[in-house]
Amino acid sequence: MKYPKEYLDEIKSRLKVSTVVSKTVKLKKRGKEFVGLSPFKTEKTPSFTVNDEKEFYHCFSTSEHGNIFDFVMKTQSLRFGEAVKMLSNLAGMQPYTFSKQDEERENKWKLYKSICNNFSEFYKNELFKNENSINAKNYLKSRGLSGVEVKNFNLGFVTEDLDYYEILKKDYDEEIIKDTGLFYFDEKKKKYISRFRNRIIFPINNISGNIIGFGGRIVDDNKNLAKYINSPETPFFKKGSNLYNLDKARKLSNKLEDVYLVEGYMDVIGLSKNGIENTVANLGTALTSKQIQILNQFYNHIIICFDGDQSGYKAALRAAENIIDELKPDKKISFLLLEDNLDPDNYINKFGKDKFLEISNQKSIPIHKFIFEHYIGQTTESPSSRAIFEKKLREIASNIKDSLVKKYTLEYFLEKVSELTPNINSKFNKNYKIFPKSLAKTKSYYNETKSLKSFEIKEFSFLYILLAKPKLIHENFHIIDNVKLYSDENKQLFAEILNQSENLLNLDLQKLNVDKILVSRVMNYASIKHIISKNLNDDEKILEILTEIIQDLKNYELEQRISELESKFSKDMSESTFNEIKELKKQQKIN
């Protein structure tokens, strides 16, 4: 059986030729190409070239020529199927197994792709031709978009005057249509309704350029509706594994080192129309390690530029903590915080491309500095506050996967912390070096850093809110129903709190029948402590924070189970295991 063309194309899309070749041949950049000594012949003068843009290599001394599959087959004496397996693994893709299930999935993918293309094409025409699209056209004009940008990004508008579900039913099975997530069942009307009605739609392509989902923006003022929505997760659309505009932006990586990662569709389009086309956006969810891994395949420097307001700053901080573990010696991640509460689209339209690039060069902050500056701003001069601050930095550094980057990030954090107390010990001045001096101390730092798991920090925050606002939680007790904790100590404390206080009705810390060290740990290490203290009288805010923490704990349980099943599936390829993974991922709520 043949591998599906789409599967092979995705491997090629995810891997530069230079990435694959450089594992065998030492390459040097020369213009748009790379050059090196031929792997097919002994030579002193380089005659071997690699062109990422055209996706091929060529050896002038032997006339060998081909793509990444050809290169691996010829240099490692592999058959085509073996080369595909090796490269799919390098690209972070599941191996293709040619099972009946794979055939069915391939057929579903073709139908899914066809429906998405038809949906996009139909409503692109509606935007230009339907008189009911006037508000959408006026909105796009108000955002400074011309017909060129609308066509380049295949924007459309879903009008209410046509029932496209009924049109699709003539050519496609209803189950396949439902699986696209483009429609939902309206209980009142007893019919399927377009999820994106009265919205401008932004087609979301996978890395190969195929439409896999949509974003939608309302054009009428309606405070009861979300301004932006996205397609729900489907078998072929995973928000955390895709990026808007990546299919176009990746092609520029042969010329450029940097890529801008922004929050919204309009930010991507606004920057692109002003000449900054090396721009992508995450898809309405927290930024994931997977998305960073994908960008690292193409670019050496990721510049994260979220909105300049408070919500944009919070999103940037959350992103920094989520992705710092992906730092590598040859890769950079920076944050660009725009002034005047402007988002990237507004900023570049107001000040222009040159000013945007100038401020990007001057004010981009490396990820480790961004994190440090945030937490130092949250810290007081009290010893306990400083202790929590240092503990948090150690925890963050401990999550970095690359051992060298981990080492130097931790060293940076500890040296900056030591500057806060310059008189305690003379060795903690700006000239000291901690790691070369004592391997035992280095080991101790890592051991201490690893002593608390990320889920324990979440549990501390959960318990801290219960202890800080027992009456509020008692009145909203349904929120904490069925919450599961994972560490034995925190389970014990949680059970005793509920038992002693009759579900938080009359909590008395002094009467808790537990080791007081358990309570002390919660008070010391709850990362939410300072935020809660600042919002102590804002019950709505505290309940919102508590709900997010509980969701994180639930997602942790799902992630653990999914990870176990994926490991099992890689070995047994069982259909029942696959279906269980699929079901759990449906339950997984991505914030």
Side-chain angles (χ1 to χ4, degrees):
M1 293 180 69
K2 289 185 177 180
Y3 283 95
K5 181 178 181 298
E6 288 82 2
Y7 184 78
L8 300 178
D9 285 345
E10 177 144 2
I11 294 174
K12 288 196 288 184
S13 298
R14 290 188 181 210
L15 296 174
K16 290 183 179 182
V17 183
S18 60
T19 300
V20 176
V21 171
S22 64
K23 295 186 179 301
T24 304
V25 179
K26 187 175 181 180
L27 298 174
K28 288 185 179 179
K29 191 84 182 284
R30 190 178 66 187
K32 291 183 179 180
E33 295 185 330
F34 293 86
V35 297
L37 297 174
S38 173
F40 307 110
K41 180 181 177 181
T42 302
E43 61 181 11
K44 294 182 179 179
T45 304
S47 67
F48 182 80
T49 63
V50 170
N51 190 311
D52 283 331
E53 195 171 348
K54 296 178 181 177
E55 299 185 340
F56 68 71
Y57 66 87
H58 183 81
C59 179
F60 287 93
S61 63
T62 64
S63 298
E64 291 285 358
H65 179 96
N67 57 28
I68 53 175
F69 301 107
D70 300 316
F71 182 81
V72 170
M73 288 167 66
K74 289 173 181 175
T75 57
Q76 300 192 32
S77 301
L78 298 178
R79 291 176 296 178
F80 180 68
E82 293 170 328
V84 172
K85 286 179 182 178
M86 176 189 153
L87 291 172
S88 66
N89 181 59
L90 183 61
M93 295 169 59
Q94 286 289 336
Y96 198 88
T97 57
F98 296 107
S99 65
K100 185 177 180 182
Q101 186 178 335
D102 288 318
E103 282 187 61
E104 290 172 358
R105 179 180 170 83
E106 188 64 27
N107 290 333
K108 284 182 180 179
W109 162 238
K110 289 176 182 176
L111 293 170
Y112 180 98
K113 185 170 59 171
S114 177
I115 291 171
C116 288
N117 285 335
N118 289 342
F119 187 86
S120 175
E121 195 65 30
F122 182 85
Y123 285 115
K124 183 169 64 175
N125 291 330
E126 290 296 289
L127 174 62
F128 286 104
K129 298 177 181 178
N130 194 318
E131 60 184 17
N132 293 321
S133 298
I134 186 66
N135 286 348
K137 284 188 275 194
N138 288 338
Y139 171 78
L140 293 172
K141 285 179 184 176
S142 74
R143 296 297 297 263
L145 300 192
S146 67
V148 174
E149 287 81 46
V150 170
K151 288 178 180 177
N152 282 347
F153 287 90
N154 289 316
L155 305 189
F157 181 68
V158 179
T159 52
E160 274 196 312
D161 56 341
L162 287 164
D163 191 343
Y164 195 58
Y165 184 86
E166 294 299 319
I167 295 174
L168 286 172
K169 272 173 58 178
K170 296 174 184 176
D171 299 313
Y172 300 95
D173 181 82
E174 284 193 76
E175 284 303 312
I176 294 292
I177 300 173
K178 293 173 194 174
D179 283 346
T180 63
L182 297 174
F183 304 89
Y184 70 92
F185 190 73
D186 188 314
E187 292 291 346
K188 291 182 180 179
K189 296 180 180 179
K190 301 297 180 187
K191 61 184 293 189
Y192 279 92
I193 305 292
S194 174
R195 186 177 300 277
F196 298 100
R197 69 193 185 285
N198 280 330
R199 290 179 183 269
I200 293 169
I201 54 172
F202 303 80
I204 300 165
N205 297 341
N206 65 10
I207 201 168
S208 303
N210 297 305
I211 299 174
I212 53 175
F214 294 85
R217 194 206 190 277
I218 56 171
V219 293
D220 301 319
D221 291 329
N222 188 335
K223 293 182 179 178
N224 296 320
L225 295 175
K227 188 182 290 186
Y228 282 94
I229 62 171
N230 289 309
S231 289
E233 298 262 317
T234 73
F236 304 106
F237 176 53
K238 306 298 179 187
K239 296 184 183 75
S241 300
N242 290 281
L243 291 152
Y244 181 63
N245 199 48
L246 178 61
D247 57 314
K248 295 177 182 176
R250 72 177 179 87
K251 296 174 183 176
L252 301 169
S253 63
N254 301 316
K255 308 170 186 175
L256 303 168
E257 292 288 313
D258 304 340
V259 62
Y260 290 94
L261 199 162
V262 296
E263 281 189 283
Y265 305 107
M266 291 302 298
D267 292 325
V268 169
I269 297 171
L271 290 176
S272 294
K273 82 181 179 72
N274 282 284
I276 301 178
E277 298 175 85
N278 49 321
T279 307
V280 298
N282 57 326
L283 302 170
T285 67
L287 193 60
T288 66
S289 291
K290 180 70 173 176
Q291 289 167 324
I292 297 300
Q293 289 167 13
I294 292 169
L295 286 177
N296 277 341
Q297 291 275 7
F298 302 102
Y299 287 95
N300 292 328
H301 188 192
I302 301 168
I303 303 172
I304 298 171
C305 182
F306 287 172
D307 295 356
D309 57 14
Q310 190 60 28
S311 64
Y313 179 83
K314 288 179 179 177
L317 176 64
R318 188 175 181 186
E321 293 185 342
N322 282 349
I323 64 175
I324 192 170
D325 61 323
E326 293 300 329
L327 273 179
K328 299 184 185 310
D330 56 341
K331 304 290 181 179
K332 291 194 294 183
I333 301 174
S334 298
F335 285 81
L336 174 59
L337 306 175
L338 298 175
E339 56 198 28
D340 301 326
N341 288 339
L342 295 175
D343 60 38
D345 177 40
N346 292 332
Y347 189 95
I348 199 165
N349 284 326
K350 183 176 180 179
F351 297 109
K353 175 183 177 181
D354 291 341
K355 179 66 175 175
F356 182 87
L357 292 176
E358 179 186 334
I359 197 171
S360 175
N361 290 331
Q362 292 176 355
K363 296 195 174 182
S364 292
I365 308 169
I367 187 170
H368 61 286
K369 289 187 179 180
F370 174 66
I371 288 174
F372 182 87
E373 289 176 11
H374 168 78
Y375 281 106
I376 190 62
Q378 306 292 310
T379 305
T380 68
E381 293 185 2
S382 73
S384 60
S385 180
R386 292 273 176 87
I388 293 168
F389 169 55
E390 183 175 333
K391 192 75 175 180
K392 181 66 178 177
L393 294 177
R394 292 187 181 199
E395 179 204 347
I396 289 169
S398 74
N399 291 326
I400 298 173
K401 296 173 184 176
D402 184 273
S403 60
L404 284 175
V405 177
K406 178 192 292 186
K407 170 186 171 181
Y408 288 109
T409 301
L410 181 56
E411 182 174 358
Y412 170 83
F413 284 159
L414 293 175
E415 187 166 356
K416 296 295 287 184
V417 168
S418 75
E419 292 172 6
L420 301 176
T421 53
N423 298 320
I424 288 179
N425 192 315
S426 61
K427 73 176 179 179
F428 291 115
N429 60 32
K430 62 181 179 181
N431 297 316
Y432 91 111
K433 293 184 179 180
I434 188 167
F435 282 96
K437 204 161 188 178
S438 172
L439 290 175
K441 286 186 178 181
T442 303
K443 190 173 182 181
S444 174
Y445 286 141
Y446 288 141
N447 289 338
E448 286 180 45
T449 307
K450 292 175 180 176
S451 65
L452 289 177
K453 307 291 187 212
S454 59
F455 71 82
E456 286 184 280
I457 302 294
K458 290 291 181 187
E459 290 177 350
F460 291 147
S461 294
F462 169 77
L463 293 169
Y464 184 88
I465 294 176
L466 268 57
L467 297 175
K469 298 287 287 186
K471 184 179 177 184
L472 174 65
I473 307 307
H474 174 75
E475 292 168 355
N476 297 272
F477 195 78
H478 63 281
I479 293 178
I480 67 170
D481 250 344
N482 302 318
V483 170
K484 181 179 177 182
L485 304 187
Y486 303 94
S487 69
D488 292 337
E489 294 86 353
N490 288 337
K491 280 186 200 173
Q492 179 189 349
L493 179 56
F494 184 30
E496 177 58 22
I497 290 172
L498 298 183
N499 180 54
Q500 184 272 335
S501 63
E502 297 177 9
N503 291 349
L504 297 157
L505 180 60
N506 50 10
L507 179 64
D508 184 344
L509 285 180
Q510 300 305 315
K511 292 182 180 179
L512 286 178
N513 187 25
V514 292
D515 189 332
K516 293 302 183 283
I517 291 176
L518 299 185
V519 178
S520 177
R521 290 176 81 219
V522 170
M523 296 303 187
N524 286 335
Y525 300 130
S527 59
I528 210 73
K529 180 177 180 178
H530 298 295
I531 297 174
I532 295 299
S533 64
K534 290 179 182 177
N535 295 277
L536 205 56
N537 297 319
D538 188 345
D539 288 351
E540 186 177 338
K541 179 68 175 176
I542 288 175
L543 290 176
E544 179 187 334
I545 293 169
L546 178 63
T547 302
E548 287 183 10
I549 292 170
I550 291 171
Q551 186 60 58
D552 286 341
L553 289 171
K554 288 181 178 177
N555 280 344
Y556 176 81
E557 182 180 7
L558 285 172
E559 286 166 7
Q560 294 296 103
R561 182 61 183 147
I562 289 169
S563 178
E564 291 170 6
L565 289 171
E566 285 180 337
S567 177
K568 180 183 175 188
F569 180 71
S570 68
K571 296 173 183 175
D572 62 18
M573 294 296 176
S574 161
E575 185 172 351
S576 62
T577 304
F578 177 84
N579 289 334
E580 191 174 351
I581 294 171
K582 186 177 176 183
E583 187 57 38
L584 287 174
K585 286 190 174 181
K586 281 183 182 177
Q587 296 174 32
Q588 203 172 26
K589 295 179 181 177
I590 302 177
N591 296 325

